[in-house]
Amino acid sequence: MRNYSIIIPVYNRPDELDELLACLTKQTYKIFEVVVVEDGSAIKADKIVEKYHSELEIKYIQQQNTGQGFARNTGFKHANGDYFVILDSDALIEPNYLEIVEKQLNSNFLDLYGGPDRDHPNFTPIQKAISYSMTSLFTTGGIRGSKKNLGGTFHPRSFNMGMSKEVYRKTQGFIITRMGEDIEFSIRAISLGFKSGLIPEAFIYHKRRTSFVQFYKQLRFFGKARINISRFFPKELKLVHTFPMVFTLALFSIPLWWLIFKPFFYQAIGIFALYTLLNFIDSTLKNKSIQVGLLSIIAVYVQLVGYGIGFITEGWKKLFEEKGYKQLGDNIEYPS
């Protein structure tokens, strides 16, 4: 039976951390510790952590802000477990989460795993709409948290990721702190011969952002991050990753077609109208809510345009950089 170390970086989110720690007290698998890394927060979570000292084996480490990647590295250094689990502070998990992971590792060991994310029944309509846009067949191709990964080998994401202590020992953790740090880490770990895979049942409820403005900023950052990953691994930039860019350029070009060639204008309007209708119907049926279906239309466009603009602006920047330049993200503010 493994001893797990659950690493949770936190930045100005004490209330969300409280909910996650409450979930951890209910785990059916009990052999684990929790390492909370306060990454230079102005709103500290020390009082929240103190609440759980009698229920959890928990460590609380404070440091100056370095970003989530390097904050996780701090957690690794203070962890005593033989298998590390990384969770975002805005995650919720079911009581059998660790039990599921332990069962999987006993039957088919993975050096590195990732789990999918879902929306919780108690999420707000906007949170459900955002969750839909991040997992929909019509946006991400339904490959996020899926064994069928059009982007190549499955690369676990740090909102829900686990790794053996040996993986950390050989990789020495994250080398990027923001802008695609988890994908770079996964690619590097896999290149060292470690086995990676998805554990579909080890899902989390991921709150993500609670407004479309916050969601836009986050997705624009994700688009930039995809370009940044290509600075480290050029071959990892796949055709599928350009879809949001193509979508954004096509959307913004619609007014021009009215001036240049009206039949193309009407054709483009028809294509986007059909795409919008498909998303509305799909989300409404899945969420059993017309309200969420309507909000999902906004979420889908915010997601694709945000990612597309980030992809385009960072890609343009990359064209004029010195050869070999790599962005570690330590001087970039993550949209919180």
Side-chain angles (χ1 to χ4, degrees), residues 248-259:
T248 301
L249 293 174
L251 180 66
F252 288 166
S253 71
I254 289 177
L256 294 177
W257 288 117
W258 174 260
L259 300 173

PDB file of all heavy atoms in Angstrom, residues 248-259:
ATOM      1  N   THR A 248     -10.794  31.639 -34.962  1.00  0.00           N
ATOM      2  CA  THR A 248     -10.759  33.066 -34.650  1.00  0.00           C
ATOM      3  C   THR A 248     -10.574  33.906 -35.903  1.00  0.00           C
ATOM      4  O   THR A 248     -11.266  34.914 -36.106  1.00  0.00           O
ATOM      5  CB  THR A 248      -9.618  33.349 -33.641  1.00  0.00           C
ATOM      6  OG1 THR A 248      -9.844  32.582 -32.459  1.00  0.00           O
ATOM      7  CG2 THR A 248      -9.556  34.818 -33.283  1.00  0.00           C
ATOM      8  N   LEU A 249      -9.641  33.511 -36.768  1.00  0.00           N
ATOM      9  CA  LEU A 249      -9.405  34.254 -38.003  1.00  0.00           C
ATOM     10  C   LEU A 249     -10.628  34.215 -38.910  1.00  0.00           C
ATOM     11  O   LEU A 249     -10.987  35.228 -39.533  1.00  0.00           O
ATOM     12  CB  LEU A 249      -8.180  33.691 -38.724  1.00  0.00           C
ATOM     13  CG  LEU A 249      -6.825  33.894 -38.022  1.00  0.00           C
ATOM     14  CD1 LEU A 249      -5.727  33.167 -38.780  1.00  0.00           C
ATOM     15  CD2 LEU A 249      -6.500  35.378 -37.892  1.00  0.00           C
ATOM     16  N   ALA A 250     -11.277  33.056 -38.971  1.00  0.00           N
ATOM     17  CA  ALA A 250     -12.481  32.933 -39.799  1.00  0.00           C
ATOM     18  C   ALA A 250     -13.606  33.806 -39.261  1.00  0.00           C
ATOM     19  O   ALA A 250     -14.324  34.469 -40.029  1.00  0.00           O
ATOM     20  CB  ALA A 250     -12.925  31.471 -39.849  1.00  0.00           C
ATOM     21  N   LEU A 251     -13.768  33.830 -37.943  1.00  0.00           N
ATOM     22  CA  LEU A 251     -14.823  34.637 -37.319  1.00  0.00           C
ATOM     23  C   LEU A 251     -14.603  36.122 -37.596  1.00  0.00           C
ATOM     24  O   LEU A 251     -15.536  36.847 -37.974  1.00  0.00           O
ATOM     25  CB  LEU A 251     -14.851  34.371 -35.822  1.00  0.00           C
ATOM     26  CG  LEU A 251     -15.900  35.131 -35.002  1.00  0.00           C
ATOM     27  CD1 LEU A 251     -17.301  34.684 -35.395  1.00  0.00           C
ATOM     28  CD2 LEU A 251     -15.677  34.899 -33.503  1.00  0.00           C
ATOM     29  N   PHE A 252     -13.369  36.587 -37.409  1.00  0.00           N
ATOM     30  CA  PHE A 252     -13.084  38.008 -37.574  1.00  0.00           C
ATOM     31  C   PHE A 252     -13.078  38.436 -39.045  1.00  0.00           C
ATOM     32  O   PHE A 252     -13.153  39.631 -39.346  1.00  0.00           O
ATOM     33  CB  PHE A 252     -11.738  38.351 -36.929  1.00  0.00           C
ATOM     34  CG  PHE A 252     -11.762  38.321 -35.422  1.00  0.00           C
ATOM     35  CD1 PHE A 252     -10.584  38.330 -34.691  1.00  0.00           C
ATOM     36  CD2 PHE A 252     -12.958  38.273 -34.735  1.00  0.00           C
ATOM     37  CE1 PHE A 252     -10.603  38.309 -33.299  1.00  0.00           C
ATOM     38  CE2 PHE A 252     -12.989  38.253 -33.340  1.00  0.00           C
ATOM     39  CZ  PHE A 252     -11.815  38.263 -32.634  1.00  0.00           C
ATOM     40  N   SER A 253     -12.968  37.466 -39.945  1.00  0.00           N
ATOM     41  CA  SER A 253     -12.933  37.806 -41.377  1.00  0.00           C
ATOM     42  C   SER A 253     -14.325  37.958 -41.988  1.00  0.00           C
ATOM     43  O   SER A 253     -14.457  38.417 -43.120  1.00  0.00           O
ATOM     44  CB  SER A 253     -12.162  36.732 -42.149  1.00  0.00           C
ATOM     45  OG  SER A 253     -12.897  35.519 -42.205  1.00  0.00           O
ATOM     46  N   ILE A 254     -15.359  37.588 -41.240  1.00  0.00           N
ATOM     47  CA  ILE A 254     -16.722  37.614 -41.782  1.00  0.00           C
ATOM     48  C   ILE A 254     -17.113  38.996 -42.326  1.00  0.00           C
ATOM     49  O   ILE A 254     -17.646  39.094 -43.450  1.00  0.00           O
ATOM     50  CB  ILE A 254     -17.741  37.123 -40.727  1.00  0.00           C
ATOM     51  CG1 ILE A 254     -17.581  35.616 -40.514  1.00  0.00           C
ATOM     52  CG2 ILE A 254     -19.170  37.441 -41.154  1.00  0.00           C
ATOM     53  CD1 ILE A 254     -18.503  35.041 -39.443  1.00  0.00           C
ATOM     54  N   PRO A 255     -16.876  40.094 -41.592  1.00  0.00           N
ATOM     55  CA  PRO A 255     -17.251  41.411 -42.152  1.00  0.00           C
ATOM     56  C   PRO A 255     -16.537  41.728 -43.467  1.00  0.00           C
ATOM     57  O   PRO A 255     -17.094  42.415 -44.330  1.00  0.00           O
ATOM     58  CB  PRO A 255     -16.835  42.392 -41.052  1.00  0.00           C
ATOM     59  CG  PRO A 255     -16.845  41.584 -39.794  1.00  0.00           C
ATOM     60  CD  PRO A 255     -16.383  40.225 -40.211  1.00  0.00           C
ATOM     61  N   LEU A 256     -15.310  41.226 -43.609  1.00  0.00           N
ATOM     62  CA  LEU A 256     -14.564  41.508 -44.838  1.00  0.00           C
ATOM     63  C   LEU A 256     -15.218  40.856 -46.048  1.00  0.00           C
ATOM     64  O   LEU A 256     -15.201  41.423 -47.157  1.00  0.00           O
ATOM     65  CB  LEU A 256     -13.117  41.010 -44.698  1.00  0.00           C
ATOM     66  CG  LEU A 256     -12.244  41.733 -43.661  1.00  0.00           C
ATOM     67  CD1 LEU A 256     -10.872  41.090 -43.592  1.00  0.00           C
ATOM     68  CD2 LEU A 256     -12.126  43.214 -44.014  1.00  0.00           C
ATOM     69  N   TRP A 257     -15.786  39.664 -45.846  1.00  0.00           N
ATOM     70  CA  TRP A 257     -16.420  38.962 -46.968  1.00  0.00           C
ATOM     71  C   TRP A 257     -17.644  39.719 -47.486  1.00  0.00           C
ATOM     72  O   TRP A 257     -18.006  39.606 -48.649  1.00  0.00           O
ATOM     73  CB  TRP A 257     -16.798  37.542 -46.570  1.00  0.00           C
ATOM     74  CG  TRP A 257     -15.600  36.649 -46.419  1.00  0.00           C
ATOM     75  CD1 TRP A 257     -15.162  36.028 -45.294  1.00  0.00           C
ATOM     76  CD2 TRP A 257     -14.670  36.302 -47.446  1.00  0.00           C
ATOM     77  NE1 TRP A 257     -14.010  35.325 -45.547  1.00  0.00           N
ATOM     78  CE2 TRP A 257     -13.689  35.457 -46.861  1.00  0.00           C
ATOM     79  CE3 TRP A 257     -14.561  36.620 -48.804  1.00  0.00           C
ATOM     80  CZ2 TRP A 257     -12.629  34.944 -47.589  1.00  0.00           C
ATOM     81  CZ3 TRP A 257     -13.498  36.107 -49.540  1.00  0.00           C
ATOM     82  CH2 TRP A 257     -12.546  35.276 -48.930  1.00  0.00           C
ATOM     83  N   TRP A 258     -18.274  40.499 -46.598  1.00  0.00           N
ATOM     84  CA  TRP A 258     -19.407  41.321 -47.050  1.00  0.00           C
ATOM     85  C   TRP A 258     -18.936  42.350 -48.089  1.00  0.00           C
ATOM     86  O   TRP A 258     -19.649  42.668 -49.052  1.00  0.00           O
ATOM     87  CB  TRP A 258     -20.037  42.029 -45.847  1.00  0.00           C
ATOM     88  CG  TRP A 258     -21.115  43.008 -46.235  1.00  0.00           C
ATOM     89  CD1 TRP A 258     -21.015  44.354 -46.332  1.00  0.00           C
ATOM     90  CD2 TRP A 258     -22.465  42.693 -46.583  1.00  0.00           C
ATOM     91  NE1 TRP A 258     -22.205  44.908 -46.718  1.00  0.00           N
ATOM     92  CE2 TRP A 258     -23.120  43.905 -46.886  1.00  0.00           C
ATOM     93  CE3 TRP A 258     -23.189  41.489 -46.672  1.00  0.00           C
ATOM     94  CZ2 TRP A 258     -24.459  43.959 -47.260  1.00  0.00           C
ATOM     95  CZ3 TRP A 258     -24.510  41.553 -47.046  1.00  0.00           C
ATOM     96  CH2 TRP A 258     -25.140  42.755 -47.334  1.00  0.00           C
ATOM     97  N   LEU A 259     -17.723  42.846 -47.885  1.00  0.00           N
ATOM     98  CA  LEU A 259     -17.173  43.837 -48.796  1.00  0.00           C
ATOM     99  C   LEU A 259     -16.538  43.213 -50.029  1.00  0.00           C
ATOM    100  O   LEU A 259     -16.555  43.807 -51.115  1.00  0.00           O
ATOM    101  CB  LEU A 259     -16.121  44.690 -48.058  1.00  0.00           C
ATOM    102  CG  LEU A 259     -16.614  45.464 -46.828  1.00  0.00           C
ATOM    103  CD1 LEU A 259     -15.439  46.110 -46.113  1.00  0.00           C
ATOM    104  CD2 LEU A 259     -17.650  46.503 -47.223  1.00  0.00           C
TER     105      LEU A 259
END
